[in-house]
């Protein structure tokens, strides 16, 4: 995802560095190598300086970046470590805010103000039979020949607190295809 798109999406949901972000709980369900993560962490760092709150504590309490692919997760951790070191925040370990797991199967013990990102596009025929069966049992919107991002929408909406916002960049096929009817 390009940095311009990431910045635009964060601006649209009000996650701006000129606002007090101290208590904004945010999850990114498919963090990849960190395109959203770096912008989010940078905005939180700037906000912490402007509004005088503990950046490290705010990260630990409010940010969750999930990535299932181990290779991408490794890149995310490595790049985030370098970013934090470059900004003098060595006491925060990236694995305190990053999780290597399947977002759709993770159990969360909190709700979020923001669910934001670029969910994976995995065509129905490329999803394993075991996962497909589990997704169908778990997500009522995962019907017919649904792309995996449909389940990401449902899971993201489940995790929102009252007045929370979900912002995904994705294909608009679900607006017209049969598999998108339950989500619509």
């Amino acid at each position: 995802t390009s940095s311009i798109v990431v910045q635009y999406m964060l601006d649209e949901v009000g996650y701006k560095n000129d606002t007090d972000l101290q208590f904004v709980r945010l999850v990114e369900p498919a963090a990849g190598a960190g395109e959203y993560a770096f912008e989010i962490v940078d905005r939180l760092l700037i906000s912490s300086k402007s509004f005088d709150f503990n950046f490290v504590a705010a990260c630990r309490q409010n940010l969750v970046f999930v990535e299932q692919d181990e290779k991408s997760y490794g890149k995310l951790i490595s790049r985030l470590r370098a970013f934090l070191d470059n900004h003098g925040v060595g006491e925060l370990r990236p694995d305190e805010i990053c999780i290597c797991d399947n977002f759709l199967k993770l159990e969360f013990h909190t709700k979020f103000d923001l669910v934001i990102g670029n969910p994976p596009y995995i065509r129905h025929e490329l999803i394993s039979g075991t996962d497909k069966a589990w997704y169908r049992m778990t997500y009522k919107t995962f019907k017919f020949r649904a792309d995996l991002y449909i389940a990401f929408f449902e899971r993201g909406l489940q995790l929102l607190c009252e007045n929370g916002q979900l912002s995904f960049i994705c294909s608009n096929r679900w607006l017209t295809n049969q598999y998108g009817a339950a989500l619509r």
Side-chain angles (χ1 to χ4, degrees):
T1 310
S2 77
S3 62
I4 292 170
V5 170
V6 170
Q7 291 167 11
Y8 172 78
M9 289 174 66
L10 288 167
D11 287 348
E12 285 297 300
V13 296
Y15 199 85
K16 300 178 181 183
N17 56 21
D18 62 353
T19 60
D20 186 348
L21 300 175
Q22 180 175 5
F23 300 110
V24 179
R25 295 203 34 86
L26 181 152
V27 63
E28 183 193 357
E35 289 75 14
Y36 287 86
F38 298 114
E39 186 67 26
I40 290 164
V41 170
D42 188 52
R43 287 178 182 214
L44 185 60
L45 181 61
I46 293 167
S47 177
S48 74
K49 291 175 182 175
S50 298
F51 293 91
D52 194 32
F53 61 84
N54 185 308
F55 167 75
V56 173
C59 283
R60 288 175 178 152
Q61 293 169 7
N62 300 318
L63 299 183
V64 180
F65 302 107
V66 181
E67 177 51 50
Q68 181 174 348
D69 180 75
E70 290 182 19
K71 187 176 179 179
S72 294
Y73 179 79
K75 286 180 187 177
L76 171 65
I77 293 292
S78 176
R79 292 178 66 207
L80 196 51
R81 169 79 281 138
F83 179 89
L84 292 167
D85 287 347
N86 287 341
H87 288 85
V89 191
E91 69 270 25
L92 178 65
R93 293 186 338 267
D95 65 352
E96 293 179 90
I97 59 174
C98 299
I99 300 170
C100 187
D101 209 333
N102 182 337
F103 173 74
L104 296 175
K105 295 182 177 182
L106 260 177
E107 185 175 333
F108 291 90
H109 301 287
T110 187
K111 297 284 188 172
F112 295 91
D113 301 297
L114 298 174
V115 177
I116 191 163
N118 185 351
Y121 310 109
I122 300 177
R123 291 180 14 216
H124 191 76
E125 58 270 10
L126 299 177
I127 301 169
S128 77
T130 304
D131 282 344
K132 225 182 282 194
W134 190 87
Y135 296 146
R136 284 186 203 275
M137 285 187 339
T138 307
Y139 296 103
K140 65 181 180 183
T141 58
F142 193 76
K143 297 189 177 289
F144 306 106
R145 298 185 48 74
D147 192 299
L148 191 61
Y149 73 88
I150 297 298
F152 272 73
F153 267 99
E154 182 175 343
R155 182 67 175 136
L157 291 169
Q158 290 170 351
L159 290 172
L160 288 177
C161 64
E162 190 173 331
N163 298 316
Q165 298 179 78
L166 182 142
S167 180
F168 283 163
I169 182 171
C170 71
S171 163
N172 66 356
R173 291 179 299 176
W174 67 276
L175 294 172
T176 56
N177 283 356
Q178 181 185 25
Y179 70 69
L183 179 60
R184 290 192 301 272

